[in-house]
């Protein structure tokens, strides 16, 4: 039984053939070398304040797709005016009509930046259940909205049973109503026909909020639910003190460092009829769980997991009746880096479909019985990101970069193997599909380097065609001249590995001119053909502004990233601030060799891991960069999440502590000679602000000059929290780069 995650969405019904010139015009240049531009101006003339405004220039991204049981209607969350508050919309495939169901955001004050409704599902009879502010509500057919389960908070994870009779959800723990340390998680069900206010029945829960349901899925017969149960009681709690709003505050969190106790996890099965719970234990409960699922007949259960360092992938198969366990699949690679595995039941429960990189690239395999060699279904020097099983047609739908590293296109292939068919159109870009229950249609989040995200609907009987549902940008968006995005390839100057980069150039690019360059924002998986590149930070406007002012911007698919196979990513093992920053330097060398970059005016920036690479680059690559900006920089890997041991290794061994020190900027900062700015929120629980202070203290003692921008009370996503903070931070960055890179003396 597959679990199709909620993805983003959009709307205005226009039949669009993605192979036509209208969309094919989004195809970006992928040739070697960088040809000139034809526009009269470099790019946008808008200011940072005009690019980042409460009524978003690029519109509000449609989110949270959910299909009706008959696969006719897709529900999505959107604001057609471009404000932050998302209401519920539907699109009917049968009628082609787009309808707004709720109007809760019409009185919302724009500068409050309320996100609005976070999830919605259809209950049948034109009723919709949704969450707003952590509370559960019902929208009736007459348009009225009523809160239900009013005694519960932090409600999330809504899912209707396959037979449509039950609504399941997870709520926060009632022990601490403010959920200060941990959210908690109790599993509930209520009848979809019940109109009473507090009628839900608790299936799984604990008085201790550190024991919680993380996620779950329904059995095909709707008679039981399988769930992921987590226990954080042994993990340390940490106080993060900070000053904000005129007082000392404490962001107390559960937070493990490498070597600390971590979450203990197991999979359980609860019967709706009896409330009986059975647990299916693994040899080590601290090992990761990546996937789990009941067979269609409910008699077998698989659990896919790995050790903490993601070096050994193991799939256990259980007999649900007896609890007997067998090792179905196991593969160990001491250099394995990324846990991109996915597992699901094959059609008719005929074994398992496994997404694994056992041949060096992430591909699909079919294994019928425990211990037998898996049969490879897809192959080639490209990678699959995710897949879903259509049991009726015995097909596998998947997203992959078969067309180009930066793309995520939709494909399908017979489960028995055979020809791979492209389902999405010929235009380049990124697709994130949500499949209807019968796989007859796909709600498709689509974006490219020239198109902000929109919702399309694809009829799988007519692949490569799509109906556009939303049109999100404001009219002024289409009046601007936007920068041109290219993709370039070059070899590593260290070991010759093929590297790919996303390069943004002015619309009037002159290939004979040497431009100032910004490398960033640097991170893994940074080469994506979608509006703004990486979406973890809202840097689309910052990038457009900088290019409009005459900069080039380059992002390199550094080692450890997805998409170029195991040989490419495994060279990052034990090499934070090593192989990765060599790849960044290779990108700079390429632009200089092509005659496009001024070697004396190159800047670099990134946040979190990108901040680590920025500081390491300034410390170890003297003469390459004129200046750098490190946002929330991970300066000490001793304080990373234990999951980062995939790359940096465990906190013990004959090579310790040298191995961790080699990957921590804190121990290399003495080598920094060029201007550095650090931007960090004081409330950050991911990368501790105290680590930035430790770095600053050392630099002050050595009398190294740097600039520190502290954002009081800000979290790890310092440029995502509110527009005033975003605009302030980006203006500080622009001023810094203009002084130290563009106008460097």
């Amino acid at each position: 039984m597959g679990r199709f995650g909620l993805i983003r969405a959009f709307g205005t019904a226009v039949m669009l053939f993605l192979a036509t010139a209208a969309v094919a015009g989004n195809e970006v240049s992928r040739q070697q070398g960088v040809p000139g531009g034809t526009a009269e101006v470099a790019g946008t003339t808008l200011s940072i304040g005009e690019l980042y405004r409460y009524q978003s220039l690029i519109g509000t991204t449609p989110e949270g797709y959910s299909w009706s049981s008959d696969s006719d209607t897709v529900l999505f969350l959107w604001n057609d005016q471009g404000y932050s508050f998302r209401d519920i919309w539907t699109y009917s495939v049968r009628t082609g009509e787009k309808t707004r169901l709720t109007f809760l955001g019409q009185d919302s004050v724009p500068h409050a930046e309320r996100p609005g409704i976070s999830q919605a599902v259809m209950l049948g009879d034109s009723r919709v259940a949704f969450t707003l502010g952590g509370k559960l509500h019902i929208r009736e057919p007459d348009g009225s909205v009523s809160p239900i389960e009013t005694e519960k908070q932090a409600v999330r994870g809504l899912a209707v049973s396959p037979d449509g009779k039950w609504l399941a959800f997870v709520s926060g723990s009632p022990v601490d109503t403010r959920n200060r340390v941990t959210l908690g998680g109790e599993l509930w069900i209520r009848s979809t026909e019940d109109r009473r206010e507090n009628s839900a029945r608790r299936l799984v829960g604990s008085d201790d909020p550190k024991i919680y349901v993380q996620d779950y899925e329904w059995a095909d017969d709707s008679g039981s639910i399988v769930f992921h149960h987590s226990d954080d009681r042994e993990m340390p709690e940490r106080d993060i003190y900070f000053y904000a709003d005129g007082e000392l505050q404490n962001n107390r969190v559960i937070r493990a460092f490498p070597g600390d106790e971590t979450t203990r996890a197991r999979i359980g099965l609860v019967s709706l009829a009896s409330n009986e719970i059975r647990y299916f234990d693994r040899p080590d409960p601290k090992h990761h769980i990546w996937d789990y699922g009941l067979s269609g007949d409910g008699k077998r259960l698989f659990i896919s997991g790995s050790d903490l360092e993601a070096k050994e992938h193991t799939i256990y198969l259980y007999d649900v009746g007896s609890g007997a366990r067998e090792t179905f699949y196991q593969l160990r690679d001491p250099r394995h880096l990324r846990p991109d595995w996915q597992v699901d039941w094959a059609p008719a429960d005929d074994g398992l479909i496994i997404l694994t990189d056992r041949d060096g690239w992430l591909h699909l395999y079919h294994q019928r019985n425990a211990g037998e060699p898996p049969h490879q279904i897809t192959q080639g020097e490209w990678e699959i990101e995710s897949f879903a099983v259509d049991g009726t047609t015995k097909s596998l739908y998947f997203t992959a970069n078969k067309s180009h590293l930066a793309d995520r296109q939709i494909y399908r292939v017979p489960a028995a193997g055979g020809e791979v068919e492209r389902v999405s159109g010929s235009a380049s870009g990124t697709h994130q599909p949500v499949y209807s229950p019968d796989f007859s249609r796909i709600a498709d989040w689509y974006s490219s380097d020239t198109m902000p995200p929109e919702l399309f609907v694809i009829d799988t009987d007519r692949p490569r065609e799509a109906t556009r549902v939303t049109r999100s940008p404001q009219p002024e968006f289409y009046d601007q001249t936007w920068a041109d995005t290219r993709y370039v390839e070059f070899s590593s100057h260290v070991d010759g590995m093929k590297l790919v980069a996303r390069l943004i150039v002015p619309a009037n690019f002159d290939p004979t001119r040497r431009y100032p360059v910004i490398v960033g924002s640097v991170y893994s998986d940074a080469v994506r053909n979608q509006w703004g590149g990486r979406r973890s930070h809202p840097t689309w406007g910052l990038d457009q502004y900088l290019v409009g002012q005459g900069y080039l911007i380059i992002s390199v698919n550094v080692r450890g990233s997805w998409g170029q196979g195991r040989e490419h990513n495994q060279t990052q093992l034990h090499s934070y601030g090593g192989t990765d920053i060599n790849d960044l330097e290779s990108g700079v060398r390429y632009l200089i060799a092509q005659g496009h970059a001024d070697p004396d005016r190159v800047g670099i920036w990134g946040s979190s891991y990108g901040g680590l690479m920025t500081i390491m680059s300034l410390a170890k690559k003297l003469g390459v960069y004129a200046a750098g900006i490190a946002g929330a920089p991970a300066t000490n890997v001793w304080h990373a999440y234990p999951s980062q041991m995939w790359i940096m290794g465990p906190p013990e061994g004959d090579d310790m502590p040298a191995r961790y020190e080699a990957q921590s900027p804190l121990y290399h900062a003495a080598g920094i000679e060029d201007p550095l700015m650090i931007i960090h929120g004081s409330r950050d629980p991911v990368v501790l602000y105290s680590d930035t202070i430790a770095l600053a203290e050392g630099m002050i003692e050595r009398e190294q000059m740097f600039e520190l921008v502290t954002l009081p009370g800000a979290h790890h996503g310092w440029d995502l929290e509110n527009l005033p903070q975003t605009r302030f931070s980006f203006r500080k960055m622009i001023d810094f780069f203009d002084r130290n890179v563009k106008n460097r003396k």
Side-chain angles (χ1 to χ4, degrees), residues 61-325:
T61 304
E63 304 276 353
Y65 304 161
S66 177
W67 282 97
S68 60
S69 59
D70 63 1
S71 297
D72 173 72
T73 303
V74 62
L75 178 153
F76 59 99
L77 309 176
W78 190 45
N79 188 305
D80 62 336
Q81 299 299 310
Y83 292 107
S84 62
F85 194 106
R86 288 181 173 87
D87 270 295
I88 302 173
W89 295 69
T90 60
Y91 171 74
S92 170
V93 176
R94 179 176 51 83
T95 66
E97 294 181 357
K98 180 171 79 269
T99 305
R100 182 175 177 177
L101 296 187
T102 62
F103 296 83
L104 301 177
Q106 61 185 2
D107 297 325
S108 180
V109 179
H111 66 258
E113 299 185 65
R114 294 180 61 198
I117 295 170
S118 56
Q119 188 189 358
V121 294
M122 300 180 189
L123 301 180
D125 298 327
S126 300
R127 300 173 71 232
V128 176
F130 66 91
T131 55
L132 174 62
K135 293 291 188 177
L136 186 60
H137 298 73
I138 297 290
R139 191 262 189 194
E140 298 290 349
D142 63 2
S144 62
V145 172
S146 302
I148 58 171
E149 303 300 338
T150 55
E151 299 172 352
K152 301 170 183 63
Q153 69 281 331
V155 175
R156 58 201 186 272
L158 310 182
V160 177
S161 59
D163 63 9
K165 295 181 179 180
W166 298 98
L167 171 67
F169 61 91
V170 175
S171 76
S173 169
V175 176
D176 183 351
T177 57
R178 291 181 293 172
N179 289 320
R180 291 170 297 181
V181 178
T182 181
L183 197 61
E186 299 182 319
L187 179 61
W188 303 78
I189 59 167
R190 60 174 286 142
S191 169
T192 55
E193 298 180 353
D194 199 332
R195 259 72 172 179
R196 291 177 297 167
E197 185 173 294
N198 291 292
S199 63
R201 173 161 58 99
R202 191 174 80 169
L203 295 181
V204 184
S206 171
D207 291 336
D208 190 334
K210 294 183 180 180
I211 304 174
Y212 56 94
V213 173
Q214 185 163 308
D215 49 53
Y216 68 92
E217 67 173 40
W218 281 97
D220 282 357
D221 66 0
S222 302
S224 58
I225 294 176
V226 60
F227 59 94
H228 183 172
H229 210 218
S230 296
D231 184 347
D232 290 345
R233 287 176 295 179
E234 300 301 318
M235 292 177 63
E237 293 185 16
R238 303 190 190 279
D239 294 311
I240 301 176
Y241 293 104
F242 63 98
Y243 282 95
D245 300 323
E247 62 180 0
L248 177 66
Q249 301 186 43
N250 183 12
N251 180 25
R252 188 171 178 83
V253 296
I254 296 175
R255 177 72 161 81
F257 294 155
D260 286 343
E261 288 293 329
T262 58
T263 299
R264 286 166 165 77
R266 57 181 176 171
I267 300 300
L269 181 71
V270 58
S271 166
L272 269 64
S274 65
N275 267 41
E276 177 189 0
I277 299 175
R278 285 172 286 170
Y279 288 101
F280 302 88
D281 292 323
R282 300 169 299 142
D284 191 335
K286 291 190 289 186
H287 281 183
H288 296 293
I289 293 177
W290 302 115
D291 248 329
Y292 59 91
L294 275 176
S295 58
D297 59 13
K299 295 180 179 180
R300 292 176 293 168
L301 168 75
F302 77 80
I303 302 177
S304 171
S306 75
D307 61 296
L308 291 179
E309 297 176 50
K311 301 297 180 278
E312 185 171 81
H313 180 205
T314 303
I315 304 173
Y316 295 113
L317 195 63
Y318 298 80
D319 180 276
V320 171
S322 67
R325 181 187 72 225

